[in-house]
Amino acid sequence: MTQTLSQSTAGTPGAADTAASPLLRMARETPTCLWNDSADPKELSAALGWGAVGATCNPVIALAAIKADLPRWTARIAELAAQRPTATEDEIGWAVVEELSVEAARLLEPAFAEHAGRNGRLSIQTDPRFHRDTAALVEQAVHFHGLAPNVIVKIPATAAGVAAIEEVTYRGVSVNATVSFTVPQALAVAEAVEAGLRRRDAEGLDTASMGPVCTIMVGRLDDWMKAAADVRGVVLDPGYYEWAGVAAFKRAYRIYGERGYRTRLLSAAFRNHMHWSELVGGDVVISPPYGWQVRLNASGIEPAPRIDTPVDAGVVAALLAALPEFRAAYEPDGMTVEEFDAFGATRRTLRQFLAANNDLEALVRDVLVPNP
């Protein structure tokens, strides 16, 4: 199934060299928006040329951006340490993340003005250690909101995070829900945002300039389906697993439209071109890493609207029959909010984000306490 689609849509390699790139055509010809999955200023600048109108980030990406310009940030860490002699390694690390994010946000100010707040935003992700602490998530989200007018704050779609999303939305913070992989999570996030927006509406507060989105980390759902199949000893056509995230995204998108939610869905965590090509045409955000943008622009794949083309019913049926984990991810009532934290993809992703936070702290430590 995956191979068939790739062969039928791949076109001529290098087509982006002689015509508008597929990503730029998507941005110009469809309602689908491109965001850059990085706060690295160099990568974001390139993405802006392909029609990007926003950017996302997470602890892993932020660390990579700092390492990509390590001499600069090493010097800045030393400066911050001198200015704040009692600051912990963790506090200095987060100060660097904030500076990196604010710098990237400036590049998006023209798009922010053009789109009246719906786009042109730079995502800053809350501390992954707060994934169980609603009050801490709210406090940090409000702080990040104050760093720049075009910030959007990433909050995990955990049980504590969903509660935080309603409260910070009410306080005027535009939210990008993350650590989110499933239809039940996407629906819980949209309901939380709506609750916050309704509270603002009731008090006559602005909601028109807010730009909430809910990420579905489509590739990480695919990854979890493969891992779950290995544990269960399930044998399916290997291409079927590549459709799990796309199927969940398309189902959530359909329900969002039926219910009139004011949150947009965002596709992230790319593993194959379908995490873009199958979702073009929707009023959604596509947020590939810079490397994937280069590959997609060179692919010659037509940015044809495919969001309303259903995933093959046989593929969906096979996944549902073989994997309870897919049923939990695909069915609107597959999980309760209280079950989000135990979902395999949630745990795997949180562990990676927590490890990145530790790595950032270690990077700061190497500057402050170098190994003799």
Side-chain angles (χ1 to χ4, degrees), residues 117-189:
R118 196 165 189 254
N119 291 302
R121 293 184 179 272
L122 186 283
S123 294
I124 306 180
Q125 184 156 329
T126 48
D127 190 327
R129 293 170 296 184
F130 296 160
H131 65 93
R132 299 190 303 157
D133 190 336
T134 297
L137 288 169
V138 169
E139 180 180 0
Q140 190 173 48
V142 171
H143 168 69
F144 286 164
H145 174 69
L147 294 177
N150 59 331
V151 159
I152 186 169
V153 181
K154 296 182 86 170
I155 295 178
T158 56
V162 170
I165 285 168
E166 176 182 345
E167 179 59 25
V168 302
T169 299
Y170 166 65
R171 298 193 192 188
V173 178
S174 289
V175 167
N176 177 357
T178 186
V179 193
S180 174
F181 321 89
T182 70
V183 175
Q185 285 175 295
L187 299 182
V189 167

Side-chain angles (χ1 to χ4, degrees), residues 26-198:
M26 176 193 75
R28 289 174 173 174
E29 300 169 10
T30 80
T32 308
C33 289
L34 174 67
W35 288 13
N36 183 62
D37 197 16
S38 167
D40 182 293
K42 294 178 182 177
E43 295 181 353
L44 178 54
S45 294
L48 291 172
W50 300 323
V53 290
T56 58
C57 197
N58 64 42
V60 176
I61 294 169
L63 181 62
I66 292 167
K67 288 182 175 179
D69 198 0
L70 194 56
R72 174 195 172 185
W73 290 113
T74 296
R76 183 58 183 143
I77 288 168
E79 289 176 359
L80 287 168
Q83 294 166 7
R84 302 169 57 182
T86 63
T88 65
E89 297 157 353
D90 180 63
E91 289 168 341
I92 292 173
W94 276 95
V96 169
V97 170
E98 289 185 13
E99 289 192 11
L100 171 72
S101 300
V102 170
E103 180 178 325
R106 293 193 190 101
L107 297 175
L108 291 165
E109 287 176 353
F112 183 69
E114 179 185 353
H115 292 262
R118 196 165 189 254
N119 291 302
R121 293 184 179 272
L122 186 283
S123 294
I124 306 180
Q125 184 156 329
T126 48
D127 190 327
R129 293 170 296 184
F130 296 160
H131 65 93
R132 299 190 303 157
D133 190 336
T134 297
L137 288 169
V138 169
E139 180 180 0
Q140 190 173 48
V142 171
H143 168 69
F144 286 164
H145 174 69
L147 294 177
N150 59 331
V151 159
I152 186 169
V153 181
K154 296 182 86 170
I155 295 178
T158 56
V162 170
I165 285 168
E166 176 182 345
E167 179 59 25
V168 302
T169 299
Y170 166 65
R171 298 193 192 188
V173 178
S174 289
V175 167
N176 177 357
T178 186
V179 193
S180 174
F181 321 89
T182 70
V183 175
Q185 285 175 295
L187 299 182
V189 167
E191 289 288 348
V193 170
E194 285 299 314
L197 293 176
R198 286 194 297 267

Side-chain angles (χ1 to χ4, degrees), residues 91-340:
E91 289 168 341
I92 292 173
W94 276 95
V96 169
V97 170
E98 289 185 13
E99 289 192 11
L100 171 72
S101 300
V102 170
E103 180 178 325
R106 293 193 190 101
L107 297 175
L108 291 165
E109 287 176 353
F112 183 69
E114 179 185 353
H115 292 262
R118 196 165 189 254
N119 291 302
R121 293 184 179 272
L122 186 283
S123 294
I124 306 180
Q125 184 156 329
T126 48
D127 190 327
R129 293 170 296 184
F130 296 160
H131 65 93
R132 299 190 303 157
D133 190 336
T134 297
L137 288 169
V138 169
E139 180 180 0
Q140 190 173 48
V142 171
H143 168 69
F144 286 164
H145 174 69
L147 294 177
N150 59 331
V151 159
I152 186 169
V153 181
K154 296 182 86 170
I155 295 178
T158 56
V162 170
I165 285 168
E166 176 182 345
E167 179 59 25
V168 302
T169 299
Y170 166 65
R171 298 193 192 188
V173 178
S174 289
V175 167
N176 177 357
T178 186
V179 193
S180 174
F181 321 89
T182 70
V183 175
Q185 285 175 295
L187 299 182
V189 167
E191 289 288 348
V193 170
E194 285 299 314
L197 293 176
R198 286 194 297 267
R199 290 166 63 189
R200 290 183 65 80
D201 290 337
E203 296 182 16
L205 300 172
D206 170 63
T207 57
S209 64
M210 297 175 69
V213 297
C214 176
T215 293
I216 295 183
M217 305 179 90
V218 283
R220 288 178 181 265
L221 182 60
D222 295 353
D223 293 345
W224 178 236
M225 294 304 99
K226 296 170 189 175
D230 287 344
V231 171
R232 294 183 177 277
V234 167
V235 177
L236 292 173
D237 184 311
Y240 284 16
Y241 302 111
E242 307 295 330
W243 288 94
V246 170
F249 193 102
K250 289 193 176 197
R251 188 165 201 192
Y253 180 73
R254 185 170 65 251
I255 297 171
Y256 268 42
E258 293 167 353
R259 299 184 183 180
Y261 290 138
R262 287 175 278 184
T263 301
R264 283 181 296 170
L265 289 171
L266 181 152
S267 170
F270 274 50
R271 301 293 187 270
N272 61 64
H273 76 74
M274 298 188 303
H275 297 151
W276 161 67
S277 60
E278 280 291 321
L279 308 177
V280 173
D283 183 15
V284 301
V285 176
I286 307 293
S287 186
Y290 174 76
W292 265 104
Q293 291 176 57
V294 173
R295 293 171 68 180
L296 294 174
N297 278 331
S299 71
I301 297 173
E302 280 291 308
R306 298 186 184 91
I307 187 71
D308 294 322
T309 303
V311 174
D312 185 278
V315 172
V316 174
L319 290 168
L320 286 170
L323 295 171
E325 293 82 1
F326 181 71
R327 184 173 296 277
Y330 183 74
E331 298 292 356
D333 59 353
M335 286 188 288
T336 65
V337 172
E338 292 72 26
E339 291 173 320
F340 292 169

